[in-house]
């Protein structure tokens, strides 16, 4: 086997690893979201008093969105390293990153509106966060079936 053949096989192997890594990162993203919604948030409201749940959730949600930011950034980096510029992957990575950053940035305003009793602002910001998280979930789940 010549050197050029080995280089070609090496490139194909790395390309396959990076392509599979994209799927893995999207799967982890979906898993993190499902775990947050099904295990953490639902348990907190059932087990803790409202004052206690507020403190815990204010600690957890910034970490949750930071994890989504890291995963979205990793997804984009892996695809750029692999030379994958398909529109489905780019839209998924960029949209997930932007929405996670927006969600993280509105947490202090959401908390303040809750503390100040501004329920209409709280409901709006909470809805933005929930819808954004759902969009991140469905895009990370769905792009795999598009390409």
């Amino acid at each position: 086997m010549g050197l050029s053949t080995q280089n070609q096989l090496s490139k194909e192997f790395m390309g396959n690893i990076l392509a599979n890594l994209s799927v893995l990162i999207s799967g982890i993203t979906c898993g993190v979201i499902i775990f947050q919604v099904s295990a953490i948030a639902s348990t907190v409201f059932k087990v803790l008093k409202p004052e206690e749940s507020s403190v815990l959730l204010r600690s957890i949600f910034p970490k949750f969105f930071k994890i989504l930011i890291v995963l979205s950034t990793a997804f984009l980096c892996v695809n750029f390293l692999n030379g994958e510029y398909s529109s489905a992957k780019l839209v998924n990575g960029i949209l997930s990153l932007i929405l996670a950053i927006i969600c993280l940035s509105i947490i202090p305003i959401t908390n303040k509106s809750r503390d100040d009793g501004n329920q209409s602002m709280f409901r709006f910001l909470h809805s933005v966060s929930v819808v954004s998280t759902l969009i991140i979930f469905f895009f990370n789940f769905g792009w795999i079936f598009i390409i």
Side-chain angles (χ1 to χ4, degrees):
M1 190 178 329
L3 187 58
S4 65
T5 306
Q6 285 179 332
N7 285 341
Q8 182 64 26
L9 288 174
S10 178
K11 283 183 182 181
E12 287 178 29
F13 180 73
M14 283 305 296
N16 287 336
I17 288 175
L18 291 173
N20 290 331
L21 196 52
S22 294
V23 175
L24 179 64
I25 292 169
S26 283
I28 292 170
T29 300
C30 291
V32 165
I33 292 170
I34 289 170
F35 183 72
Q36 173 73 10
V37 171
S38 65
I40 295 176
S42 64
T43 303
V44 165
F45 289 119
K46 289 178 188 171
V47 174
L48 299 177
K49 296 175 187 171
E51 309 82 41
E52 296 167 335
S53 64
S54 175
V55 172
L56 182 62
L57 291 174
R58 288 177 186 212
S59 173
I60 290 174
F61 272 99
K63 293 174 180 81
F64 170 67
F65 289 116
K66 287 175 184 176
I67 290 169
L68 294 181
I69 289 168
V70 168
L71 288 167
S72 300
T73 303
F75 180 87
L76 285 169
C77 290
V78 163
N79 287 296
F80 285 126
L81 285 173
N82 195 25
E84 283 283 333
Y85 305 112
S86 72
S87 58
K89 287 184 177 183
L90 285 175
V91 167
N92 176 56
I94 292 169
L95 185 66
S96 294
L97 180 61
I98 290 170
L99 290 176
I101 290 170
I102 289 170
C103 289
L104 180 64
S105 66
I106 66 172
I107 287 175
I109 304 164
T110 306
N111 291 341
K112 183 166 175 25
S113 64
R114 178 72 159 201
D115 294 343
D116 293 348
N118 188 346
Q119 290 304 313
S120 61
M121 177 62 83
F122 173 78
R123 279 193 298 273
F124 171 74
L125 293 171
H126 183 260
S127 296
V128 168
S129 178
V130 169
V131 169
S132 296
T133 303
L134 285 171
I135 291 170
I136 293 169
F137 175 82
F138 285 117
F139 268 78
N140 275 277
F141 183 78
W143 76 263
I144 298 165
F145 301 104
I146 294 173
I147 59 168

